[in-house]
Amino acid sequence: MGVRGEVYSTRLVTKDRTYFFNVKENVYGDLFLNIVESKGTEGGEGKFIRQSILVYQEDLGEFVKEFQKTLDFLKQKTKR
């Protein structure tokens, strides 16, 4: 187990923000997905706004299914 319980981590850097996809393990050995968005503040100076969502392993299947429905909806709306 890595720093702060990290088991796996990857990131996506865009023009305005960075997304982190972290698989972590809590003290009980449960795995969960931690999705973090990090965005610089107005004026910069090394300050960031961070927002995150946690999805536990037992909920990932349903989470992915609903997320896929949302992506399909967005794709359908942008084709018009």
Side-chain angles (χ1 to χ4, degrees):
M1 186 167 29
V3 177
R4 296 180 312 233
E6 287 182 4
V7 176
Y8 174 81
S9 185
T10 188
R11 67 182 175 164
L12 167 63
V13 179
T14 68
K15 180 179 152 193
D16 297 329
R17 56 188 51 106
T18 302
Y19 299 96
F20 298 91
F21 301 90
N22 307 307
V23 176
K24 295 187 174 189
E25 183 177 18
N26 67 17
V27 295
Y28 304 107
D30 300 321
L31 294 176
F32 60 94
L33 172 63
N34 175 227
I35 303 171
V36 178
E37 175 217 12
S38 181
K39 179 179 175 181
T41 61
E42 297 275 332
E45 300 180 21
K47 295 183 181 178
F48 295 89
I49 297 171
R50 292 176 59 92
Q51 301 181 79
S52 70
I53 181 172
L54 302 179
V55 182
Y56 280 86
Q57 190 173 17
E58 64 267 18
D59 301 326
L60 277 174
E62 291 298 315
F63 179 86
V64 169
K65 188 165 67 174
E66 295 304 317
F67 187 67
Q68 187 60 57
K69 283 186 200 176
T70 305
L71 293 176
D72 293 343
F73 175 82
L74 286 169
K75 287 178 187 175
Q76 205 173 42
K77 287 295 182 183
T78 56
K79 287 182 181 179
R80 294 181 181 176

